[in-house]
Amino acid sequence: MEITIESLSLEDLKVKYSSDEELGFGQVFTDRMFIVNYEEDQWKIPRIVKYDNIELNPSAVCLHYGQTIFEGQKAYRTPEGNLNLFRLDKNIERFNSSARRLVMPEIDEELYRTGLITLLKLEKDWAPKKLGSSLYIRPTMIATTPMLGLRTAQDFIFYIILSPSGPYFPEGFQCVNIYVSENYIRAAPGGMGNVKTGGNYAASLLVTAEATRKGFNQVLWLDAIHKRYIEEVGAMNIFFIIDDEIFTPPLSGTILPGITRESILTLANDSGYYVREKALSIDFVIESIGNGSLTECFAAGTAASVAPIGSLYYQDKSYMINKSTVGPISKLLYTNLIDIQYGRKEDPYGWIETII
Ligand code: PLP
Ligand code: COI
């Protein structure tokens, strides 16, 4: 596949951040981006260009009707200084599942893969070195046809941007406190909860702001119909340890099929834990905290990795889990996962591609 690579002048190159410690999440961007247009029913010549604004017509479909999709993945720096990608095939597969749901053209696996790897090779020096930091990767597709009629666009842009980032939660691997949302839901059956489209995240902003104002780190979503069954936490999947078994809600269609979720289930199973994908009601969870059978809870996703949950706030009461300290199973699974991602341990699953 041929990619046109624009050469950047010295003035185009940014001053790099001076230390990994000062990086927040998703605030710094590298010098270049990968971009390709879709017109007349085909993807045009892909390009790597200077990271810059994109020109859009004010009536572009993405700006009015939210025909947008994205992915989230990371390149992890190994102790030898190489860059690891984690389960890239899964991100490509999910991106195309999002594309189908939003009536957007699918991306040829080769285009996504070669575009990303070529970009990473050019931008490798931007990858932070510190464990817990990484080069966050954001592949995105937007509908650009200028029209206000409500129907699918004909023109699209696919682009990939890179952001050297620190941990999603600045405190690092420490317990977070969660607000259970009773009045707002994230996704309903038949909706778009199982794909990555901007509208799902826009729907979460109001209650997340309310939770933040009250001092909580994230929102726990209950199901749309009964407002009882636990779905996800913020932009992460959720896990409970009850009587030494690991529970997570099943992929019912309203939950995002997390790649970290799938990996944690494999790691847990291979560490000898009994793993169950089972719908759990909030009442059952509260009861299990009360009677001591629920000993740990954590959330997991690419951006946040594994985030131990120290308390749930529901109907004006706070329920503390494991005295708000990180439990041994959460710690073990977190360590097993990051050791593979950062190349500190051999990957027995074929999840890692070392690209540089
Ligand atoms: N749930 C939602 C709503 C998300 O946005 C994400 C992040 O992508 C996840 C779960 C976790 O998915 P993954 O582990 O693939 O990052
Ligand atoms: C990710 O985990 O990569 C995500 O897409 C979550 C994002 C909302 C920060």
Side-chain angles (χ1 to χ4, degrees):
M1 191 185 69
E2 199 187 315
I3 303 177
T4 307
I5 301 179
E6 182 185 81
S7 56
L8 302 195
S9 68
L10 269 182
E11 296 96 77
D12 288 330
L13 302 180
K14 296 176 200 157
V15 178
K16 290 204 176 60
Y17 55 96
S18 51
S19 89
D20 290 3
E21 268 74 22
E22 77 189 39
L23 289 168
F25 177 82
Q27 292 171 32
V28 174
F29 296 93
T30 70
D31 291 318
R32 299 173 179 84
M33 60 198 263
F34 174 80
I35 186 160
V36 51
N37 290 58
Y38 184 90
E39 290 157 16
E40 292 144 357
D41 300 325
Q42 56 175 307
W43 291 105
K44 302 290 177 183
I45 297 186
R47 293 164 290 141
I48 289 178
V49 298
K50 183 182 162 191
Y51 177 97
D52 211 344
N53 295 345
I54 291 177
E55 195 168 292
L56 284 178
N57 191 292
S59 64
V61 171
C62 62
L63 299 176
H64 299 267
Y65 305 130
Q67 201 178 12
T68 69
I69 59 171
F70 69 96
E71 262 309 316
Q73 45 185 123
K74 283 175 171 173
Y76 304 88
R77 208 187 265 285
T78 69
E80 296 76 35
N82 299 322
L83 280 190
N84 275 355
L85 282 176
F86 183 71
R87 309 195 76 176
L88 169 60
D89 53 327
K90 292 276 168 193
N91 290 103
I92 300 178
E93 203 179 294
R94 190 171 63 189
F95 193 75
N96 281 333
S97 145
S98 302
R100 288 192 293 276
R101 179 64 179 84
L102 274 287
V103 203
M104 298 170 96
E106 289 185 41
I107 289 275
D108 186 51
E109 175 163 355
E110 184 55 24
L111 180 61
Y112 186 130
R113 173 179 284 278
T114 310
L116 173 58
I117 292 176
T118 311
L119 180 66
L120 283 171
K121 286 186 174 165
L122 287 165
E123 302 290 69
K124 63 180 185 311
D125 292 345
W126 283 90
K129 296 188 175 61
K130 195 166 177 260
L131 187 71
S133 300
S134 59
L135 196 52
Y136 185 76
I137 301 165
R138 177 50 65 87
T140 307
M141 197 195 306
I142 55 174
T144 55
T145 304
M147 63 174 183
L148 295 182
L150 178 55
R151 57 185 188 279
T152 179
Q154 304 301 313
D155 312 278
F156 302 88
I157 298 177
F158 171 64
Y159 61 87
I160 305 176
I161 52 177
L162 307 175
S163 174
S165 290
Y168 191 71
F169 293 112
E171 314 81 39
F173 188 63
Q174 281 187 26
C175 284
V176 292
N177 298 312
I178 301 299
Y179 179 82
V180 180
S181 170
E182 278 192 276
N183 296 327
Y184 297 98
I185 52 120
R186 191 189 86 92
M192 302 192 294
N194 59 349
V195 298
K196 276 181 88 72
T197 182
N200 289 340
Y201 299 82
S204 76
L205 295 176
L206 180 61
V207 62
T208 306
E210 189 179 308
T212 310
R213 220 174 26 247
K214 292 181 175 168
F216 299 96
N217 303 88
Q218 282 291 333
V219 169
L220 184 149
W221 304 107
L222 298 175
D223 78 285
I225 295 177
H226 311 92
K227 304 255 173 65
R228 261 188 87 207
Y229 294 100
I230 289 177
E231 301 230 306
E232 319 191 44
V233 170
M236 292 168 282
N237 296 110
I238 188 162
F239 298 79
F240 299 95
I241 292 138
I242 305 175
D243 289 329
D244 280 341
E245 290 180 4
I246 300 180
F247 290 80
T248 195
L251 298 176
S252 54
T254 50
I255 293 178
L256 193 81
I259 296 163
T260 320
R261 174 189 181 279
E262 194 187 300
S263 311
I264 291 270
L265 291 180
T266 303
L267 292 170
N269 197 51
D270 290 357
S271 302
Y273 290 99
Y274 192 54
V275 171
R276 295 206 210 192
E277 295 180 67
K278 185 171 187 295
L280 299 181
S281 70
I282 182 73
D283 310 308
F284 175 75
V285 164
I286 300 284
E287 191 187 306
S288 306
I289 297 174
N291 66 23
S293 56
L294 191 159
T295 46
E296 296 181 45
C297 176
F298 64 88
T302 298
S305 187
V306 172
I309 294 178
S311 71
L312 296 179
Y313 184 83
Y314 178 58
Q315 293 184 336
D316 300 326
K317 266 202 202 144
S318 187
Y319 299 89
M320 208 189 279
I321 301 169
N322 195 34
K323 301 199 178 97
S324 210
T325 56
V326 181
I329 303 177
S330 314
K331 179 86 201 289
L332 174 90
L333 295 171
Y334 166 71
T335 309
N336 285 350
L337 179 70
I338 65 161
D339 279 353
I340 292 178
Q341 290 172 328
Y342 285 87
R344 289 147 54 104
K345 198 173 112 182
E346 209 190 313
D347 161 29
Y349 303 107
W351 289 343
I352 293 296
E353 272 173 75
T354 300
I355 51 155
I356 297 164

